[in-house]
């Protein structure tokens, strides 16, 4: 019985969720306009699932059923549907009941009966778990504190959904039916279950984007050049291990290969018989909706949109971007972009360069995320200049430059990198923080297992960059700094410092404490390093200043002595060139190989402590230390003064080898 007047449609109950397999679905309230969708959905459910739902054969819904299941007051009776492509894939409903299990007549009754129905083709994707989380939140909003559900014993999947939810439960068995009752007040376990599901789902969705089995580049021009053709060329040059298709509606009918790349050429996705996991879209913004529709109908899992003309272009573009996101999510796909620079995965089994970067970075242990393509170029170029990848210190595991980040954001990458075995250090360049609370939670958890280094751009503007038309919270820079500090994030100010910190953390053990030994042949550099350590709250020891003409052997002996000392947790070596006449003096023509060899030999004798080298105009020193072969350690690039050391990361990694 309806006990309260109908309420207006609760728009705030609508939500997009990521499912267990990495796909997405939209959850929303059911309305009277959904009658045909409900009937179509029910026709696609198996007889067994219908029996589990109604405890009897129930081949079709009556008109009365359809009316009852689509008309709700959004208080005592609520129905939610999970949709993909606008069609129902699952439903959940609750009806408020009294203590006797009858329809409630008193608004004070705080119990409801809940029931689910999931289309068989979508079972196992975590749809029911996501619906339970949302219907529970709706019920709490409407004053309901307990759910009751009656389930047949054979319906083990649904029983597992309830029992795994983490709520405090009571289970009884009577008349051949399992009755479950549970409080809706969140518990520590239920929150952990919800966040665990969220992490696995969002990580899986990113993993699907970064490791596709097949890629279609849509908008590939016939002539060399252009965004689409460049993206195709970069994809092929990277050695991508999957299938590649070039798509352009203007290709001639008799054209089936695109040369000189010699890849299959088609006019639309419909001509591709095999599944397509990732679509790289490089067509004008006006054509993107048609392309996205084709992707959705073909079952593409994710789209990377390089096209511009969205939120960065003004109010019309912002609305175009909102419509694009709604369309992409309606098909259960995830979106990188629009206006994206692209993504890279260096894993040998994938070798994906779906970006506008013409050079494939070397493989390594650093994960990179940027919102800006320009910053992405700077980071990739900076790492390449600092040393080789593929085993060297400057390699990356994955790179994502999300452009306007209408969908996939830094939070999604934190979810992915949290337990990615190929990533040891996470580097983020953020121009805005859309959800500070969630970012802090995810960053704190990730930073507990691997270092997270963040540069926050536009720190004094107080506004989000053009194109980032996502919900953002304007918070003072001091608050941002406190948030990151509490989350265990290492915050830096520049792209150069991002690279410095990333290289150091990717190749060094973390220091056991704040005591820093400083040595070198420049008193000025040593004092700058000393002051920088004090500024960062570290405990520098009195610098050990060598003679300006110190030999490589002098450096080796001084470093070995510092590393052996019990009062030292890390060492900073400073070095400047010196043109000397004595045999063995460090030459000033950039020949730092002898010094690199000496430093490395000292480190190998005591590899448990990190050592970083700050130098001026000694390129050979940096190149030798960064070269693969003997385990390398990073150096700072030539600069006018020594950089400020970074704060001690939150957790040591004793299994990481010490490198110089």
């Amino acid at each position: 019985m309806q006990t309260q007047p109908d309420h207006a449609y609760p728009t705030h109950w609508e939500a997009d969720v990521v499912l267990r397999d990495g796909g997405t679905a939209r959850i929303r309230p059911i309305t009277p306009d959904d009658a045909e969708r409900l009937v179509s959905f029910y026709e696609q459910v198996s007889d067994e699932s219908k029996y589990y739902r109604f405890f009897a054969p129930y081949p079709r819904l009556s008109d009365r059923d359809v009316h009852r299941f689509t008309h709700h007051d959004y208080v005592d009776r609520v129905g939610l549907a999970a949709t993909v492509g606008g069609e129902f894939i699952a439903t959940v409903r609750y009806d408020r009941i009294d203590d006797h299990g009858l329809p409630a007549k008193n608004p004070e009754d705080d119990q409801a009966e809940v029931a689910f129905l999931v289309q068989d083709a979508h079972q196992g994707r975590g749809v029911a778990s996501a619906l339970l989380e949302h219907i529970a939140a709706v019920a709490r909003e409407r004053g309901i504190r307990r759910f009751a559900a009656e389930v047949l014993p054979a319906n083990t999947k649904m029983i597992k959904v309830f029992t795994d939810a983490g709520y405090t439960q009571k289970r009884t068995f009577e008349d051949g039916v399992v009755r479950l009752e549970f409080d809706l007040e969140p518990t520590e376990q239920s929150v952990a279950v919800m966040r665990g599901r969220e992490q696995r789902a969002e990580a899986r969705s990113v993993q699907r984007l970064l490791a596709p089995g097949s890629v279609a580049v849509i908008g590939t021009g016939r002539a060399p050049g252009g965004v689409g053709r460049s993206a195709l060329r970069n994809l092929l040059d990277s050695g991508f291990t999957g299938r590649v298709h070039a798509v352009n509606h203007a290709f001639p009918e008799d054209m089936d290969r695109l040369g000189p790349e010699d890849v299959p050429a088609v006019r639309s996705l419909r001509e591709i018989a095999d599944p397509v996991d990732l679509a790289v879209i490089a067509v004008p913004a006006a054509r993107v909706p048609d392309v996205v529709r084709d992707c959705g109908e073909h079952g593409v899992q994710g789209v990377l949109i390089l096209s511009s003309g969205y939120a960065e272009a003004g109010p019309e573009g912002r609305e175009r971007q909102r419509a694009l996101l709604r369309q992409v999510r309606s098909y259960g796909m995830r979106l990188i972009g629009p206006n994206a620079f692209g993504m890279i995965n260096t894993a040998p089994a994938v070798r994906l360069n779906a970006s506008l970067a013409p050079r494939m970075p070397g493989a390594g242990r650093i994960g990179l995320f940027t919102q800006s393509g320009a910053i992405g170029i700077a980071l990739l170029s900076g790492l390449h200049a600092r040393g080789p990848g593929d085993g060297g210190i400057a390699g990356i595991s994955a790179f994502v430059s999300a452009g306007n980040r209408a969908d996939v954001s830094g939070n999604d990458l934190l979810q992915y990198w949290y337990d990615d075995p190929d990533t040891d250090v996470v580097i983020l360049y953020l121009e805005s923080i859309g959800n500070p609370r969630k970012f802090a939670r995810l960053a704190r958890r990730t930073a507990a297992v691997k270092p997270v280094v963040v540069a926050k751009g536009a720190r004094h503007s107080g506004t989000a960059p053009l194109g980032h038309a996502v919900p953002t919270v304007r918070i003072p820079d001091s608050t941002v700094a406190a948030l990151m500090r509490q989350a265990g994030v290492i915050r830096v100010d520049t792209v150069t410092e991002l690279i410095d910190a990333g290289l150091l953390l990717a190749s060094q053990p973390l220091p056991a404490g704040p005591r820093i030994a400083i040595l070198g042949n420049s008193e000025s550099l040593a004092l700058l390093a000393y002051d920088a350590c004090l500024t960062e709250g570290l405990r520098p020891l009195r610098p050990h200043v060598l003679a300006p003409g110190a030999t490589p052997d002098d450096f080796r002996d001084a470093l070995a002595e510092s590393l052996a000392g019990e009062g030292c947790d890390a060492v900073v070596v400073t070095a400047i060139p010196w043109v000397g006449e004595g045999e063995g003096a460090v030459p000033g023509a950039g020949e730092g190989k002898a010094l690199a060899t000496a430093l490395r030999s000292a480190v190998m004798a005591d590899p448990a402590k990190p050592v970083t080298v700050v130098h001026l105009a000694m390129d050979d020193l940096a190149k030798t230390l960064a070269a693969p072969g003997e385990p390398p350690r990073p150096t700072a690039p030539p600069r006018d003064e020594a950089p400020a050391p970074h704060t001690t990361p939150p957790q040591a990694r004793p299994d990481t080898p010490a490198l110089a």
Side-chain angles (χ1 to χ4, degrees):
M1 175 182 296
Q2 183 171 313
T3 62
Q4 298 188 27
D6 289 357
H7 281 57
Y9 178 84
T11 305
H12 65 287
W13 291 353
E14 296 180 351
D16 294 302
V17 297
V18 183
L19 303 177
R20 183 178 298 152
D21 62 356
T24 66
R26 184 161 187 79
I27 293 178
R28 64 169 178 82
I30 298 174
T31 72
D33 294 335
D34 290 320
E36 292 185 6
R37 292 187 184 88
L38 181 65
V39 171
S40 175
F41 159 71
Y42 195 77
E43 289 175 348
Q44 298 177 63
V45 174
S46 70
D47 290 340
E48 180 183 52
S49 294
K50 293 173 182 175
Y51 186 89
Y52 284 156
R53 169 64 177 84
F54 294 103
F55 299 0
Y58 215 90
R60 63 186 59 84
L61 296 175
S62 67
D63 291 343
R64 182 179 178 181
D65 292 329
V66 173
H67 184 274
R68 182 163 61 95
F69 293 152
T70 56
H71 288 70
H72 308 95
D73 62 9
Y74 303 127
V75 179
D76 295 334
R77 296 171 50 250
V78 172
L80 302 179
T83 69
V84 173
E87 299 302 318
F88 286 8
I89 64 169
T91 62
V92 62
R93 61 179 288 109
Y94 78 66
D95 292 89
R96 194 186 298 260
I97 58 176
D98 61 19
D99 292 340
H100 303 288
L102 301 174
K105 299 180 180 180
N106 187 343
E108 301 301 320
D109 290 323
D110 61 359
Q111 184 174 205
E113 188 172 50
V114 64
F116 293 80
L117 186 59
V118 180
Q119 200 176 100
D120 294 67
H122 294 275
Q123 292 179 9
R125 301 183 65 199
V127 184
S129 296
L131 281 173
L132 177 58
E133 291 174 10
H134 284 260
I135 198 73
V138 167
R140 289 194 295 268
E141 180 181 328
R142 295 310 195 202
I144 292 173
R145 296 290 174 260
R146 295 188 306 280
F147 269 166
E150 293 188 345
V151 186
L152 291 175
N155 193 359
T156 55
K157 291 181 180 178
M158 188 53 61
I159 293 175
K160 182 174 175 58
V161 168
F162 288 120
T163 56
D164 288 351
Y167 295 108
T168 303
Q169 293 187 6
K170 175 184 176 182
R171 181 189 299 199
T172 58
F173 181 79
E174 186 176 352
D175 296 331
V177 174
V178 176
R179 181 176 176 84
L180 299 168
E181 298 180 16
F182 49 94
D183 295 334
L184 297 183
E185 189 66 28
T187 65
E188 183 176 342
Q189 183 180 356
S190 70
V191 171
V193 167
M194 180 182 66
R195 291 179 175 175
R197 185 197 66 79
E198 173 194 67
Q199 188 274 325
R200 290 188 296 272
E202 293 180 0
R204 173 58 178 159
S205 73
V206 173
Q207 192 273 335
R208 294 202 315 179
L209 290 167
L210 284 170
S214 59
V215 178
V217 182
I218 304 175
T220 306
R222 295 182 61 185
V227 174
R229 191 66 175 262
S230 297
L232 177 68
R233 182 74 266 162
N234 297 341
L235 184 65
L236 296 173
D237 288 347
S238 69
F240 177 56
T241 59
R243 302 182 304 277
V244 180
H245 299 271
V247 183
N248 190 324
H249 73 286
F251 285 157
E253 290 291 334
D254 60 350
M255 178 179 172
D256 59 2
R257 309 288 295 186
L258 179 68
E261 292 86 356
D262 193 32
V263 298
V266 297
R267 282 140 293 281
S268 73
L269 290 176
R270 290 189 295 273
E271 299 178 32
I272 302 175
D274 298 323
V276 173
D277 299 325
L278 174 68
V280 179
I281 300 176
V283 302
R287 286 196 53 223
V288 169
D290 292 337
V291 172
V292 170
R293 184 194 64 241
D294 292 344
C295 291
E297 292 176 352
H298 195 74
V300 173
Q301 295 179 354
V303 293
L304 166 63
I305 299 183
L306 306 176
S307 313
S308 58
Y310 289 88
E312 82 284 355
E316 291 185 5
R318 282 194 291 273
E319 183 52 43
R320 187 181 297 121
Q321 184 166 306
R322 294 188 187 101
L324 169 66
L325 180 59
R326 288 194 297 268
Q327 183 186 24
V328 168
R329 286 178 170 171
S330 73
Y331 287 108
M333 299 184 293
R334 297 223 66 181
L335 160 67
I336 293 182
N339 194 31
F341 184 73
M343 59 184 176
I344 296 171
N345 183 355
T346 64
V350 182
R351 299 289 300 173
L352 173 76
N353 181 8
S355 80
L356 299 179
R359 181 168 49 207
M360 181 72 168
R365 312 292 298 179
I366 299 174
L368 297 178
F369 174 84
T370 75
Q371 297 170 195
S372 162
I375 298 298
I377 294 172
L379 282 169
L380 293 174
S381 298
L383 285 171
H384 180 79
R386 297 291 295 280
D390 294 329
I393 64 173
I396 69 169
S397 59
F399 163 84
V400 175
S401 182
N404 293 4
R405 66 177 182 90
D407 181 19
V408 173
S409 69
N411 285 348
D412 294 284
L413 270 298
L414 282 173
Q415 298 277 43
Y416 171 70
W417 281 321
Y418 167 69
D419 56 5
D420 175 35
D422 296 326
T423 301
D424 289 338
V425 179
V426 173
I427 292 180
L428 308 172
Y429 187 93
L430 304 177
E431 294 175 356
S432 59
I433 300 177
N435 186 337
R437 181 174 297 179
K438 183 174 181 179
F439 170 80
R441 172 169 60 85
L442 300 184
R444 182 182 300 110
R445 183 181 58 183
T446 304
V449 296
K450 57 189 67 173
V452 177
V453 188
V454 176
K456 172 69 168 59
R459 63 164 57 190
H460 300 299
S461 68
T463 60
L466 291 176
H468 295 219
V470 295
T472 57
V473 178
R474 296 185 182 182
I475 51 179
D477 185 68
S478 59
T479 305
V480 172
L483 178 150
M484 292 189 182
R485 185 169 57 253
Q486 292 170 5
V489 168
I490 303 170
R491 188 183 183 188
V492 299
D493 294 325
T494 68
V495 170
T496 300
E497 289 178 345
L498 270 179
I499 296 171
D500 285 349
L503 294 179
L504 182 66
L505 293 164
S507 61
Q508 300 271 344
L510 301 186
R515 300 167 299 181
I516 312 297
I518 301 169
L519 65 92
N521 64 340
S522 167
E523 184 176 8
S524 297
L525 282 184
L527 291 176
L528 285 171
Y530 184 89
D531 290 342
C533 288
L534 290 176
T535 300
E536 295 295 337
L538 301 174
R539 292 167 51 191
L541 308 179
R542 183 175 181 177
H544 182 179
V545 181
L546 306 174
T551 67
D553 288 344
D554 293 332
F555 272 88
R556 182 196 60 216
D557 294 343
L559 178 56
E561 181 181 353
S562 295
L563 290 172
E566 295 183 359
C568 162
D569 299 309
V571 181
V572 175
V573 176
T574 64
I576 60 173
W578 177 74
V579 179
E581 298 179 357
E583 183 178 353
V586 179
E591 297 296 331
K593 294 182 179 179
L595 178 56
T597 300
L599 295 176
R600 183 171 285 159
S601 65
V603 167
M604 293 307 158
D606 196 343
K609 297 175 182 178
V611 175
T612 185
V613 180
V614 180
H615 68 89
L616 293 178
M618 299 184 71
D619 292 344
D620 282 356
L621 173 62
K623 291 178 181 178
T624 305
L625 290 175
E630 290 294 328
R633 287 195 182 203
T635 71
R639 59 180 69 192
D640 294 333
E641 62 183 34
H646 303 293
T647 55
T648 302
Q651 179 175 322
R653 294 178 296 150
D655 57 328
T656 303
L659 309 173

